[in-house]
Amino acid sequence: MSRKYTILLILALAALTGAAGCLSTSFGEVTYSGGALQVQVENAGEPVENAVLQIMIMEVSALEQHEAFSEARYIDLERGENEYTIRADLQPGSYKVFLTVFVGNERRASVIRDMEVTA
């Protein structure tokens, strides 16, 4: 019986170790002003060069969504809080912002945020 528990413990630790990379990156505040989107990304892990930040902004009106902006760019993730500025010309209205960070082929963080743009 003890051998079964040891194997289960090793498998559980392996799963937690694999999931730890996904938890090392997260999105902070996302704001829009002056024709630019400010995106904060928190990196609790080691610094990463050439990660990809993917941004898609959908305008939401009358139960419909239309793509208003889309961009993917290479970023360097330093340990701690990182802030990126993305120029985007958005008209006043309601939007959904889809953000994803990829490191290699691995998705490190993904979030959907509601955003209101005022005049």
Side-chain angles (χ1 to χ4, degrees), residues 1-21:
M1 282 277 217
S2 134
R3 182 178 170 147
K4 287 182 183 180
Y5 290 121
T6 303
I7 291 172
L8 288 175
L9 180 60
I10 290 171
L11 290 174
L13 287 174
L16 287 174
T17 302

Side-chain angles (χ1 to χ4, degrees), residues 18-44:
C22 299
L23 301 175
S24 67
T25 307
S26 63
F27 285 99
E29 194 170 348
V30 178
T31 59
Y32 180 83
S33 68
L37 187 70
Q38 302 290 328
V39 178
Q40 293 178 351
V41 180
E42 180 72 25
N43 181 28

Side-chain angles (χ1 to χ4, degrees), residues 82-100:
N82 298 268
E83 186 167 322
Y84 305 98
T85 301
I86 296 94
R87 303 289 308 163
D89 185 26
L90 301 176
Q91 300 301 313
S94 297
Y95 296 88
K96 289 209 178 280
V97 181
F98 298 78
L99 299 165
T100 308

Side-chain angles (χ1 to χ4, degrees), residues 68-89:
F69 179 83
S70 181
E71 179 179 299
R73 64 167 57 178
Y74 287 105
I75 58 171
D76 291 334
L77 284 172
E78 300 297 327
R79 181 182 291 266
E81 189 173 301
N82 298 268
E83 186 167 322
Y84 305 98
T85 301
I86 296 94
R87 303 289 308 163
D89 185 26

